[in-house]
Amino acid sequence: MSILNIGSLNWDHAFKVSHLPAKGEIVAAKSATLSLGGKGLNYSIAVLRAGCGLRHCGAIGANDAPMLEAFARVNDI
């Protein structure tokens, strides 16, 4: 089976903090990661992990070569 998914893809920023900040509090991040994400892309990755064929259609900015490179590696999951 092959699936065409038309959906979002974007950069997810994740930050590790010691605790969730209270109202008005600023908490410094201990670390940060940047990875591919977006609701549509997350569904596509689930489809790949289930062993189905996949084509993903989504918009990428003209200057976002790193996203194209990262997206090309999604099949290596």
Side-chain angles (χ1 to χ4, degrees), residues 9 11 13 23-24 26 30 40 42-43 47-48 52 59 62 70 74 77:
L9 58 155
W11 289 112
H13 299 264
K23 184 177 180 181
I26 296 173
K30 293 181 176 187
N42 292 342
Y43 282 122
V47 166
L48 285 173
C52 295
V74 166
I77 293 172

Side-chain angles (χ1 to χ4, degrees), residues 36 41 44-45 47-49 52 54 68-77:
L36 282 179
L41 184 59
S44 289
I45 291 172
V47 166
L48 285 173
R49 289 181 175 166
C52 295
L54 171 75
L68 287 173
E69 293 166 8
F71 191 68
R73 293 189 303 269
V74 166
N75 278 331
D76 298 335
I77 293 172

